[in-house]
Each structure stands twice: as structure tokens, then as C-alpha cells.
mmCIF file with all atom_site columns, all heavy atoms in Angstrom:
data_model
loop_
_atom_site.group_PDB
_atom_site.id
_atom_site.type_symbol
_atom_site.label_atom_id
_atom_site.label_alt_id
_atom_site.label_comp_id
_atom_site.label_asym_id
_atom_site.label_entity_id
_atom_site.label_seq_id
_atom_site.pdbx_PDB_ins_code
_atom_site.Cartn_x
_atom_site.Cartn_y
_atom_site.Cartn_z
_atom_site.occupancy
_atom_site.B_iso_or_equiv
_atom_site.pdbx_formal_charge
_atom_site.auth_seq_id
_atom_site.auth_comp_id
_atom_site.auth_asym_id
_atom_site.auth_atom_id
_atom_site.pdbx_PDB_model_num
ATOM 1   N N   . PHE A 1 1  ? 170.278 171.200 56.775 1.00 62.00 ? 1  PHE A N   1
ATOM 2   C CA  . PHE A 1 1  ? 170.750 171.916 57.957 1.00 62.00 ? 1  PHE A CA  1
ATOM 3   C C   . PHE A 1 1  ? 169.618 172.278 58.924 1.00 62.00 ? 1  PHE A C   1
ATOM 4   O O   . PHE A 1 1  ? 169.671 173.304 59.600 1.00 62.00 ? 1  PHE A O   1
ATOM 5   C CB  . PHE A 1 1  ? 171.521 173.177 57.538 1.00 62.00 ? 1  PHE A CB  1
ATOM 6   C CG  . PHE A 1 1  ? 172.671 172.890 56.613 1.00 62.00 ? 1  PHE A CG  1
ATOM 7   C CD1 . PHE A 1 1  ? 172.647 173.315 55.286 1.00 62.00 ? 1  PHE A CD1 1
ATOM 8   C CD2 . PHE A 1 1  ? 173.769 172.171 57.051 1.00 62.00 ? 1  PHE A CD2 1
ATOM 9   C CE1 . PHE A 1 1  ? 173.700 173.043 54.429 1.00 62.00 ? 1  PHE A CE1 1
ATOM 10  C CE2 . PHE A 1 1  ? 174.832 171.892 56.202 1.00 62.00 ? 1  PHE A CE2 1
ATOM 11  C CZ  . PHE A 1 1  ? 174.796 172.315 54.886 1.00 62.00 ? 1  PHE A CZ  1
ATOM 12  N N   . ASP A 1 2  ? 168.577 171.437 58.946 1.00 58.00 ? 2  ASP A N   1
ATOM 13  C CA  . ASP A 1 2  ? 167.452 171.604 59.889 1.00 58.00 ? 2  ASP A CA  1
ATOM 14  C C   . ASP A 1 2  ? 166.830 172.990 59.822 1.00 58.00 ? 2  ASP A C   1
ATOM 15  O O   . ASP A 1 2  ? 166.385 173.539 60.842 1.00 58.00 ? 2  ASP A O   1
ATOM 16  C CB  . ASP A 1 2  ? 167.916 171.324 61.334 1.00 58.00 ? 2  ASP A CB  1
ATOM 17  C CG  . ASP A 1 2  ? 168.355 169.875 61.519 1.00 58.00 ? 2  ASP A CG  1
ATOM 18  O OD1 . ASP A 1 2  ? 167.757 168.999 60.875 1.00 58.00 ? 2  ASP A OD1 1
ATOM 19  O OD2 . ASP A 1 2  ? 169.295 169.636 62.294 1.00 58.00 ? 2  ASP A OD2 1
ATOM 20  N N   . GLY A 1 3  ? 166.807 173.571 58.635 1.00 53.00 ? 3  GLY A N   1
ATOM 21  C CA  . GLY A 1 3  ? 166.170 174.867 58.456 1.00 53.00 ? 3  GLY A CA  1
ATOM 22  C C   . GLY A 1 3  ? 166.978 176.053 58.945 1.00 53.00 ? 3  GLY A C   1
ATOM 23  O O   . GLY A 1 3  ? 166.460 177.170 59.039 1.00 53.00 ? 3  GLY A O   1
ATOM 24  N N   . ALA A 1 4  ? 168.246 175.815 59.272 1.00 64.00 ? 4  ALA A N   1
ATOM 25  C CA  . ALA A 1 4  ? 169.104 176.912 59.755 1.00 64.00 ? 4  ALA A CA  1
ATOM 26  C C   . ALA A 1 4  ? 169.254 177.988 58.692 1.00 64.00 ? 4  ALA A C   1
ATOM 27  O O   . ALA A 1 4  ? 169.188 177.712 57.488 1.00 64.00 ? 4  ALA A O   1
ATOM 28  C CB  . ALA A 1 4  ? 170.473 176.364 60.140 1.00 64.00 ? 4  ALA A CB  1
ATOM 29  N N   . GLN A 1 5  ? 169.473 179.210 59.148 1.00 73.00 ? 5  GLN A N   1
ATOM 30  C CA  . GLN A 1 5  ? 169.654 180.332 58.224 1.00 73.00 ? 5  GLN A CA  1
ATOM 31  C C   . GLN A 1 5  ? 171.135 180.551 57.942 1.00 73.00 ? 5  GLN A C   1
ATOM 32  O O   . GLN A 1 5  ? 172.000 180.214 58.757 1.00 73.00 ? 5  GLN A O   1
ATOM 33  C CB  . GLN A 1 5  ? 169.070 181.613 58.821 1.00 73.00 ? 5  GLN A CB  1
ATOM 34  C CG  . GLN A 1 5  ? 167.567 181.572 59.015 1.00 73.00 ? 5  GLN A CG  1
ATOM 35  C CD  . GLN A 1 5  ? 167.025 182.865 59.598 1.00 73.00 ? 5  GLN A CD  1
ATOM 36  O OE1 . GLN A 1 5  ? 167.783 183.739 60.015 1.00 73.00 ? 5  GLN A OE1 1
ATOM 37  N NE2 . GLN A 1 5  ? 165.722 182.995 59.630 1.00 73.00 ? 5  GLN A NE2 1
ATOM 38  N N   . ASP A 1 6  ? 171.427 181.111 56.775 1.00 75.00 ? 6  ASP A N   1
ATOM 39  C CA  . ASP A 1 6  ? 172.805 181.501 56.468 1.00 75.00 ? 6  ASP A CA  1
ATOM 40  C C   . ASP A 1 6  ? 173.242 182.606 57.423 1.00 75.00 ? 6  ASP A C   1
ATOM 41  O O   . ASP A 1 6  ? 172.417 183.388 57.918 1.00 75.00 ? 6  ASP A O   1
ATOM 42  C CB  . ASP A 1 6  ? 172.909 182.031 55.036 1.00 75.00 ? 6  ASP A CB  1
ATOM 43  C CG  . ASP A 1 6  ? 172.847 180.920 53.995 1.00 75.00 ? 6  ASP A CG  1
ATOM 44  O OD1 . ASP A 1 6  ? 172.747 179.742 54.396 1.00 75.00 ? 6  ASP A OD1 1
ATOM 45  O OD2 . ASP A 1 6  ? 172.888 181.238 52.796 1.00 75.00 ? 6  ASP A OD2 1
ATOM 46  N N   . TYR A 1 7  ? 174.536 182.673 57.659 1.00 82.00 ? 7  TYR A N   1
ATOM 47  C CA  . TYR A 1 7  ? 175.080 183.790 58.427 1.00 82.00 ? 7  TYR A CA  1
ATOM 48  C C   . TYR A 1 7  ? 174.922 185.077 57.626 1.00 82.00 ? 7  TYR A C   1
ATOM 49  O O   . TYR A 1 7  ? 174.912 185.074 56.382 1.00 82.00 ? 7  TYR A O   1
ATOM 50  C CB  . TYR A 1 7  ? 176.562 183.573 58.718 1.00 82.00 ? 7  TYR A CB  1
ATOM 51  C CG  . TYR A 1 7  ? 176.845 182.605 59.842 1.00 82.00 ? 7  TYR A CG  1
ATOM 52  C CD1 . TYR A 1 7  ? 176.972 181.233 59.599 1.00 82.00 ? 7  TYR A CD1 1
ATOM 53  C CD2 . TYR A 1 7  ? 176.983 183.051 61.154 1.00 82.00 ? 7  TYR A CD2 1
ATOM 54  C CE1 . TYR A 1 7  ? 177.228 180.341 60.629 1.00 82.00 ? 7  TYR A CE1 1
ATOM 55  C CE2 . TYR A 1 7  ? 177.243 182.167 62.192 1.00 82.00 ? 7  TYR A CE2 1
ATOM 56  C CZ  . TYR A 1 7  ? 177.354 180.814 61.917 1.00 82.00 ? 7  TYR A CZ  1
ATOM 57  O OH  . TYR A 1 7  ? 177.607 179.936 62.947 1.00 82.00 ? 7  TYR A OH  1
ATOM 58  N N   . GLN A 1 8  ? 174.842 186.174 58.341 1.00 91.00 ? 8  GLN A N   1
ATOM 59  C CA  . GLN A 1 8  ? 174.875 187.488 57.713 1.00 91.00 ? 8  GLN A CA  1
ATOM 60  C C   . GLN A 1 8  ? 176.336 187.941 57.633 1.00 91.00 ? 8  GLN A C   1
ATOM 61  O O   . GLN A 1 8  ? 177.208 187.378 58.295 1.00 91.00 ? 8  GLN A O   1
ATOM 62  C CB  . GLN A 1 8  ? 174.048 188.487 58.516 1.00 91.00 ? 8  GLN A CB  1
ATOM 63  C CG  . GLN A 1 8  ? 172.590 188.087 58.669 1.00 91.00 ? 8  GLN A CG  1
ATOM 64  C CD  . GLN A 1 8  ? 171.888 187.895 57.336 1.00 91.00 ? 8  GLN A CD  1
ATOM 65  O OE1 . GLN A 1 8  ? 171.899 188.790 56.493 1.00 91.00 ? 8  GLN A OE1 1
ATOM 66  N NE2 . GLN A 1 8  ? 171.290 186.733 57.138 1.00 91.00 ? 8  GLN A NE2 1
ATOM 67  N N   . LYS A 1 9  ? 176.597 188.984 56.852 1.00 93.00 ? 9  LYS A N   1
ATOM 68  C CA  . LYS A 1 9  ? 177.979 189.452 56.716 1.00 93.00 ? 9  LYS A CA  1
ATOM 69  C C   . LYS A 1 9  ? 178.034 190.965 56.616 1.00 93.00 ? 9  LYS A C   1
ATOM 70  O O   . LYS A 1 9  ? 177.076 191.622 56.189 1.00 93.00 ? 9  LYS A O   1
ATOM 71  C CB  . LYS A 1 9  ? 178.641 188.823 55.501 1.00 93.00 ? 9  LYS A CB  1
ATOM 72  C CG  . LYS A 1 9  ? 177.908 189.039 54.186 1.00 93.00 ? 9  LYS A CG  1
ATOM 73  C CD  . LYS A 1 9  ? 178.574 188.248 53.066 1.00 93.00 ? 9  LYS A CD  1
ATOM 74  C CE  . LYS A 1 9  ? 177.784 188.394 51.768 1.00 93.00 ? 9  LYS A CE  1
ATOM 75  N NZ  . LYS A 1 9  ? 178.390 187.595 50.669 1.00 93.00 ? 9  LYS A NZ  1
ATOM 76  N N   . ALA A 1 10 ? 179.187 191.494 57.000 1.00 94.00 ? 10 ALA A N   1
ATOM 77  C CA  . ALA A 1 10 ? 179.434 192.928 56.850 1.00 94.00 ? 10 ALA A CA  1
ATOM 78  C C   . ALA A 1 10 ? 179.784 193.218 55.388 1.00 94.00 ? 10 ALA A C   1
ATOM 79  O O   . ALA A 1 10 ? 180.028 192.299 54.595 1.00 94.00 ? 10 ALA A O   1
ATOM 80  C CB  . ALA A 1 10 ? 180.561 193.361 57.770 1.00 94.00 ? 10 ALA A CB  1
ATOM 81  N N   . LYS A 1 11 ? 179.817 194.479 55.044 1.00 93.00 ? 11 LYS A N   1
ATOM 82  C CA  . LYS A 1 11 ? 180.046 194.849 53.646 1.00 93.00 ? 11 LYS A CA  1
ATOM 83  C C   . LYS A 1 11 ? 181.493 195.221 53.340 1.00 93.00 ? 11 LYS A C   1
ATOM 84  O O   . LYS A 1 11 ? 181.947 195.060 52.209 1.00 93.00 ? 11 LYS A O   1
ATOM 85  C CB  . LYS A 1 11 ? 179.120 196.010 53.263 1.00 93.00 ? 11 LYS A CB  1
ATOM 86  C CG  . LYS A 1 11 ? 177.647 195.631 53.294 1.00 93.00 ? 11 LYS A CG  1
ATOM 87  C CD  . LYS A 1 11 ? 176.757 196.801 52.896 1.00 93.00 ? 11 LYS A CD  1
ATOM 88  C CE  . LYS A 1 11 ? 175.291 196.397 52.924 1.00 93.00 ? 11 LYS A CE  1
ATOM 89  N NZ  . LYS A 1 11 ? 174.390 197.534 52.556 1.00 93.00 ? 11 LYS A NZ  1
ATOM 90  N N   . VAL A 1 12 ? 182.198 195.732 54.332 1.00 94.00 ? 12 VAL A N   1
ATOM 91  C CA  . VAL A 1 12 ? 183.580 196.178 54.098 1.00 94.00 ? 12 VAL A CA  1
ATOM 92  C C   . VAL A 1 12 ? 184.484 195.653 55.208 1.00 94.00 ? 12 VAL A C   1
ATOM 93  O O   . VAL A 1 12 ? 184.029 195.395 56.336 1.00 94.00 ? 12 VAL A O   1
ATOM 94  C CB  . VAL A 1 12 ? 183.677 197.725 54.036 1.00 94.00 ? 12 VAL A CB  1
ATOM 95  C CG1 . VAL A 1 12 ? 182.917 198.266 52.834 1.00 94.00 ? 12 VAL A CG1 1
ATOM 96  C CG2 . VAL A 1 12 ? 183.149 198.347 55.321 1.00 94.00 ? 12 VAL A CG2 1
ATOM 97  N N   . PRO A 1 13 ? 185.787 195.493 54.917 1.00 96.00 ? 13 PRO A N   1
ATOM 98  C CA  . PRO A 1 13 ? 186.730 195.050 55.961 1.00 96.00 ? 13 PRO A CA  1
ATOM 99  C C   . PRO A 1 13 ? 186.788 196.057 57.106 1.00 96.00 ? 13 PRO A C   1
ATOM 100 O O   . PRO A 1 13 ? 186.539 197.251 56.925 1.00 96.00 ? 13 PRO A O   1
ATOM 101 C CB  . PRO A 1 13 ? 188.073 194.978 55.212 1.00 96.00 ? 13 PRO A CB  1
ATOM 102 C CG  . PRO A 1 13 ? 187.717 194.884 53.774 1.00 96.00 ? 13 PRO A CG  1
ATOM 103 C CD  . PRO A 1 13 ? 186.452 195.653 53.613 1.00 96.00 ? 13 PRO A CD  1
ATOM 104 N N   . HIS A 1 14 ? 187.154 195.550 58.287 1.00 97.00 ? 14 HIS A N   1
ATOM 105 C CA  . HIS A 1 14 ? 187.229 196.399 59.479 1.00 97.00 ? 14 HIS A CA  1
ATOM 106 C C   . HIS A 1 14 ? 188.631 196.319 60.068 1.00 97.00 ? 14 HIS A C   1
ATOM 107 O O   . HIS A 1 14 ? 189.230 195.252 60.120 1.00 97.00 ? 14 HIS A O   1
ATOM 108 C CB  . HIS A 1 14 ? 186.208 195.930 60.521 1.00 97.00 ? 14 HIS A CB  1
ATOM 109 C CG  . HIS A 1 14 ? 186.164 196.774 61.752 1.00 97.00 ? 14 HIS A CG  1
ATOM 110 N ND1 . HIS A 1 14 ? 185.403 197.917 61.840 1.00 97.00 ? 14 HIS A ND1 1
ATOM 111 C CD2 . HIS A 1 14 ? 186.799 196.656 62.949 1.00 97.00 ? 14 HIS A CD2 1
ATOM 112 C CE1 . HIS A 1 14 ? 185.555 198.448 63.042 1.00 97.00 ? 14 HIS A CE1 1
ATOM 113 N NE2 . HIS A 1 14 ? 186.409 197.703 63.730 1.00 97.00 ? 14 HIS A NE2 1
ATOM 114 N N   . ASP A 1 15 ? 189.143 197.463 60.504 1.00 97.00 ? 15 ASP A N   1
ATOM 115 C CA  . ASP A 1 15 ? 190.457 197.523 61.149 1.00 97.00 ? 15 ASP A CA  1
ATOM 116 C C   . ASP A 1 15 ? 190.295 197.825 62.630 1.00 97.00 ? 15 ASP A C   1
ATOM 117 O O   . ASP A 1 15 ? 189.519 198.706 63.015 1.00 97.00 ? 15 ASP A O   1
ATOM 118 C CB  . ASP A 1 15 ? 191.333 198.614 60.516 1.00 97.00 ? 15 ASP A CB  1
ATOM 119 C CG  . ASP A 1 15 ? 191.744 198.283 59.091 1.00 97.00 ? 15 ASP A CG  1
ATOM 120 O OD1 . ASP A 1 15 ? 191.660 197.103 58.705 1.00 97.00 ? 15 ASP A OD1 1
ATOM 121 O OD2 . ASP A 1 15 ? 192.152 199.204 58.364 1.00 97.00 ? 15 ASP A OD2 1
ATOM 122 N N   . PHE A 1 16 ? 191.045 197.089 63.456 1.00 97.00 ? 16 PHE A N   1
ATOM 123 C CA  . PHE A 1 16 ? 191.146 197.426 64.875 1.00 97.00 ? 16 PHE A CA  1
ATOM 124 C C   . PHE A 1 16 ? 192.352 198.336 65.068 1.00 97.00 ? 16 PHE A C   1
ATOM 125 O O   . PHE A 1 16 ? 193.421 198.096 64.499 1.00 97.00 ? 16 PHE A O   1
ATOM 126 C CB  . PHE A 1 16 ? 191.346 196.166 65.718 1.00 97.00 ? 16 PHE A CB  1
ATOM 127 C CG  . PHE A 1 16 ? 190.180 195.217 65.717 1.00 97.00 ? 16 PHE A CG  1
ATOM 128 C CD1 . PHE A 1 16 ? 190.372 193.851 65.553 1.00 97.00 ? 16 PHE A CD1 1
ATOM 129 C CD2 . PHE A 1 16 ? 188.880 195.693 65.897 1.00 97.00 ? 16 PHE A CD2 1
ATOM 130 C CE1 . PHE A 1 16 ? 189.304 192.975 65.565 1.00 97.00 ? 16 PHE A CE1 1
ATOM 131 C CE2 . PHE A 1 16 ? 187.798 194.824 65.905 1.00 97.00 ? 16 PHE A CE2 1
ATOM 132 C CZ  . PHE A 1 16 ? 188.012 193.458 65.738 1.00 97.00 ? 16 PHE A CZ  1
ATOM 133 N N   . MET A 1 17 ? 192.203 199.362 65.876 1.00 96.00 ? 17 MET A N   1
ATOM 134 C CA  . MET A 1 17 ? 193.328 200.249 66.177 1.00 96.00 ? 17 MET A CA  1
ATOM 135 C C   . MET A 1 17 ? 193.991 199.774 67.472 1.00 96.00 ? 17 MET A C   1
ATOM 136 O O   . MET A 1 17 ? 193.387 199.831 68.549 1.00 96.00 ? 17 MET A O   1
ATOM 137 C CB  . MET A 1 17 ? 192.849 201.692 66.317 1.00 96.00 ? 17 MET A CB  1
ATOM 138 C CG  . MET A 1 17 ? 192.304 202.287 65.030 1.00 96.00 ? 17 MET A CG  1
ATOM 139 S SD  . MET A 1 17 ? 193.522 202.321 63.679 1.00 96.00 ? 17 MET A SD  1
ATOM 140 C CE  . MET A 1 17 ? 194.740 203.464 64.354 1.00 96.00 ? 17 MET A CE  1
ATOM 141 N N   . ILE A 1 18 ? 195.216 199.282 67.358 1.00 94.00 ? 18 ILE A N   1
ATOM 142 C CA  . ILE A 1 18 ? 195.967 198.785 68.505 1.00 94.00 ? 18 ILE A CA  1
ATOM 143 C C   . ILE A 1 18 ? 197.271 199.564 68.599 1.00 94.00 ? 18 ILE A C   1
ATOM 144 O O   . ILE A 1 18 ? 198.055 199.581 67.641 1.00 94.00 ? 18 ILE A O   1
ATOM 145 C CB  . ILE A 1 18 ? 196.257 197.275 68.364 1.00 94.00 ? 18 ILE A CB  1
ATOM 146 C CG1 . ILE A 1 18 ? 194.946 196.499 68.111 1.00 94.00 ? 18 ILE A CG1 1
ATOM 147 C CG2 . ILE A 1 18 ? 196.964 196.745 69.601 1.00 94.00 ? 18 ILE A CG2 1
ATOM 148 C CD1 . ILE A 1 18 ? 195.143 195.034 67.846 1.00 94.00 ? 18 ILE A CD1 1
ATOM 149 N N   . LYS A 1 19 ? 197.501 200.207 69.719 1.00 90.00 ? 19 LYS A N   1
ATOM 150 C CA  . LYS A 1 19 ? 198.688 201.058 69.890 1.00 90.00 ? 19 LYS A CA  1
ATOM 151 C C   . LYS A 1 19 ? 198.782 202.084 68.754 1.00 90.00 ? 19 LYS A C   1
ATOM 152 O O   . LYS A 1 19 ? 199.847 202.342 68.201 1.00 90.00 ? 19 LYS A O   1
ATOM 153 C CB  . LYS A 1 19 ? 199.961 200.209 69.919 1.00 90.00 ? 19 LYS A CB  1
ATOM 154 C CG  . LYS A 1 19 ? 199.999 199.136 70.994 1.00 90.00 ? 19 LYS A CG  1
ATOM 155 C CD  . LYS A 1 19 ? 200.190 199.725 72.382 1.00 90.00 ? 19 LYS A CD  1
ATOM 156 C CE  . LYS A 1 19 ? 200.312 198.631 73.424 1.00 90.00 ? 19 LYS A CE  1
ATOM 157 N NZ  . LYS A 1 19 ? 200.478 199.160 74.791 1.00 90.00 ? 19 LYS A NZ  1
ATOM 158 N N   . GLU A 1 20 ? 197.603 202.605 68.383 1.00 90.00 ? 20 GLU A N   1
ATOM 159 C CA  . GLU A 1 20 ? 197.493 203.627 67.323 1.00 90.00 ? 20 GLU A CA  1
ATOM 160 C C   . GLU A 1 20 ? 197.931 203.106 65.956 1.00 90.00 ? 20 GLU A C   1
ATOM 161 O O   . GLU A 1 20 ? 198.271 203.891 65.073 1.00 90.00 ? 20 GLU A O   1
ATOM 162 C CB  . GLU A 1 20 ? 198.286 204.884 67.705 1.00 90.00 ? 20 GLU A CB  1
ATOM 163 C CG  . GLU A 1 20 ? 197.798 205.529 69.000 1.00 90.00 ? 20 GLU A CG  1
ATOM 164 C CD  . GLU A 1 20 ? 198.549 206.813 69.316 1.00 90.00 ? 20 GLU A CD  1
ATOM 165 O OE1 . GLU A 1 20 ? 199.522 207.119 68.601 1.00 90.00 ? 20 GLU A OE1 1
ATOM 166 O OE2 . GLU A 1 20 ? 198.167 207.500 70.278 1.00 90.00 ? 20 GLU A OE2 1
ATOM 167 N N   . MET A 1 21 ? 197.885 201.795 65.774 1.00 92.00 ? 21 MET A N   1
ATOM 168 C CA  . MET A 1 21 ? 198.205 201.196 64.474 1.00 92.00 ? 21 MET A CA  1
ATOM 169 C C   . MET A 1 21 ? 197.019 200.362 64.004 1.00 92.00 ? 21 MET A C   1
ATOM 170 O O   . MET A 1 21 ? 196.402 199.653 64.806 1.00 92.00 ? 21 MET A O   1
ATOM 171 C CB  . MET A 1 21 ? 199.448 200.308 64.580 1.00 92.00 ? 21 MET A CB  1
ATOM 172 C CG  . MET A 1 21 ? 200.729 201.050 64.933 1.00 92.00 ? 21 MET A CG  1
ATOM 173 S SD  . MET A 1 21 ? 202.146 199.929 65.109 1.00 92.00 ? 21 MET A SD  1
ATOM 174 C CE  . MET A 1 21 ? 201.694 199.023 66.604 1.00 92.00 ? 21 MET A CE  1
ATOM 175 N N   . PRO A 1 22 ? 196.675 200.425 62.704 1.00 95.00 ? 22 PRO A N   1
ATOM 176 C CA  . PRO A 1 22 ? 195.539 199.638 62.199 1.00 95.00 ? 22 PRO A CA  1
ATOM 177 C C   . PRO A 1 22 ? 195.922 198.175 61.964 1.00 95.00 ? 22 PRO A C   1
ATOM 178 O O   . PRO A 1 22 ? 196.963 197.875 61.383 1.00 95.00 ? 22 PRO A O   1
ATOM 179 C CB  . PRO A 1 22 ? 195.203 200.338 60.876 1.00 95.00 ? 22 PRO A CB  1
ATOM 180 C CG  . PRO A 1 22 ? 196.493 200.954 60.428 1.00 95.00 ? 22 PRO A CG  1
ATOM 181 C CD  . PRO A 1 22 ? 197.241 201.319 61.681 1.00 95.00 ? 22 PRO A CD  1
ATOM 182 N N   . PHE A 1 23 ? 195.065 197.281 62.426 1.00 97.00 ? 23 PHE A N   1
ATOM 183 C CA  . PHE A 1 23 ? 195.219 195.853 62.214 1.00 97.00 ? 23 PHE A CA  1
ATOM 184 C C   . PHE A 1 23 ? 193.937 195.344 61.547 1.00 97.00 ? 23 PHE A C   1
ATOM 185 O O   . PHE A 1 23 ? 192.857 195.429 62.151 1.00 97.00 ? 23 PHE A O   1
ATOM 186 C CB  . PHE A 1 23 ? 195.451 195.110 63.534 1.00 97.00 ? 23 PHE A CB  1
ATOM 187 C CG  . PHE A 1 23 ? 196.826 195.270 64.107 1.00 97.00 ? 23 PHE A CG  1
ATOM 188 C CD1 . PHE A 1 23 ? 197.222 196.475 64.687 1.00 97.00 ? 23 PHE A CD1 1
ATOM 189 C CD2 . PHE A 1 23 ? 197.741 194.228 64.074 1.00 97.00 ? 23 PHE A CD2 1
ATOM 190 C CE1 . PHE A 1 23 ? 198.488 196.631 65.223 1.00 97.00 ? 23 PHE A CE1 1
ATOM 191 C CE2 . PHE A 1 23 ? 199.017 194.376 64.610 1.00 97.00 ? 23 PHE A CE2 1
ATOM 192 C CZ  . PHE A 1 23 ? 199.395 195.582 65.182 1.00 97.00 ? 23 PHE A CZ  1
ATOM 193 N N   . ARG A 1 24 ? 194.055 194.848 60.325 1.00 97.00 ? 24 ARG A N   1
ATOM 194 C CA  . ARG A 1 24 ? 192.893 194.327 59.622 1.00 97.00 ? 24 ARG A CA  1
ATOM 195 C C   . ARG A 1 24 ? 192.370 193.063 60.313 1.00 97.00 ? 24 ARG A C   1
ATOM 196 O O   . ARG A 1 24 ? 193.125 192.149 60.631 1.00 97.00 ? 24 ARG A O   1
ATOM 197 C CB  . ARG A 1 24 ? 193.286 194.020 58.173 1.00 97.00 ? 24 ARG A CB  1
ATOM 198 C CG  . ARG A 1 24 ? 192.185 193.417 57.287 1.00 97.00 ? 24 ARG A CG  1
ATOM 199 C CD  . ARG A 1 24 ? 191.004 194.334 57.069 1.00 97.00 ? 24 ARG A CD  1
ATOM 200 N NE  . ARG A 1 24 ? 191.357 195.695 56.747 1.00 97.00 ? 24 ARG A NE  1
ATOM 201 C CZ  . ARG A 1 24 ? 191.600 196.148 55.500 1.00 97.00 ? 24 ARG A CZ  1
ATOM 202 N NH1 . ARG A 1 24 ? 191.564 195.315 54.475 1.00 97.00 ? 24 ARG A NH1 1
ATOM 203 N NH2 . ARG A 1 24 ? 191.878 197.416 55.301 1.00 97.00 ? 24 ARG A NH2 1
ATOM 204 N N   . SER A 1 25 ? 191.070 193.017 60.559 1.00 98.00 ? 25 SER A N   1
ATOM 205 C CA  . SER A 1 25 ? 190.453 191.841 61.178 1.00 98.00 ? 25 SER A CA  1
ATOM 206 C C   . SER A 1 25 ? 190.020 190.851 60.100 1.00 98.00 ? 25 SER A C   1
ATOM 207 O O   . SER A 1 25 ? 189.363 191.222 59.124 1.00 98.00 ? 25 SER A O   1
ATOM 208 C CB  . SER A 1 25 ? 189.229 192.275 62.003 1.00 98.00 ? 25 SER A CB  1
ATOM 209 O OG  . SER A 1 25 ? 188.517 191.140 62.448 1.00 98.00 ? 25 SER A OG  1
ATOM 210 N N   . ALA A 1 26 ? 190.388 189.582 60.270 1.00 98.00 ? 26 ALA A N   1
ATOM 211 C CA  . ALA A 1 26 ? 190.009 188.535 59.313 1.00 98.00 ? 26 ALA A CA  1
ATOM 212 C C   . ALA A 1 26 ? 189.670 187.266 60.072 1.00 98.00 ? 26 ALA A C   1
ATOM 213 O O   . ALA A 1 26 ? 190.320 186.931 61.064 1.00 98.00 ? 26 ALA A O   1
ATOM 214 C CB  . ALA A 1 26 ? 191.145 188.274 58.323 1.00 98.00 ? 26 ALA A CB  1
ATOM 215 N N   . ILE A 1 27 ? 188.670 186.553 59.589 1.00 98.00 ? 27 ILE A N   1
ATOM 216 C CA  . ILE A 1 27 ? 188.227 185.329 60.245 1.00 98.00 ? 27 ILE A CA  1
ATOM 217 C C   . ILE A 1 27 ? 188.351 184.160 59.270 1.00 98.00 ? 27 ILE A C   1
ATOM 218 O O   . ILE A 1 27 ? 187.633 184.089 58.266 1.00 98.00 ? 27 ILE A O   1
ATOM 219 C CB  . ILE A 1 27 ? 186.778 185.460 60.755 1.00 98.00 ? 27 ILE A CB  1
ATOM 220 C CG1 . ILE A 1 27 ? 186.647 186.649 61.717 1.00 98.00 ? 27 ILE A CG1 1
ATOM 221 C CG2 . ILE A 1 27 ? 186.328 184.171 61.443 1.00 98.00 ? 27 ILE A CG2 1
ATOM 222 C CD1 . ILE A 1 27 ? 185.215 186.946 62.150 1.00 98.00 ? 27 ILE A CD1 1
#
């Protein structure tokens, strides 16, 4: 991979608050 680095990552899931409701973010 031409010396590319691994991606970094967060430690815990994150929720977006939309219309005062939590929506889990997933990729």
C-alpha cells in the first residue's frame, strides 16, 4: 500500500440527535 498508514478509529459508538431523537451513526 505504498507505505500508507492504517486509519484511526474512535472507541465508542456515536449518536446524532435529530429532532431530539438519537440516531446511531454507522459506516
Side-chain angles (χ1 to χ4, degrees):
F1 304 112
D2 296 326
Q5 295 180 351
D6 285 359
Y7 282 89
Q8 301 302 306
K9 56 186 176 182
K11 295 181 180 179
V12 295
H14 183 85
D15 292 342
F16 294 135
M17 294 300 295
I18 306 175
K19 303 288 184 181
E20 300 183 353
M21 296 178 292
F23 285 73
R24 178 64 45 87
S25 172
I27 303 174

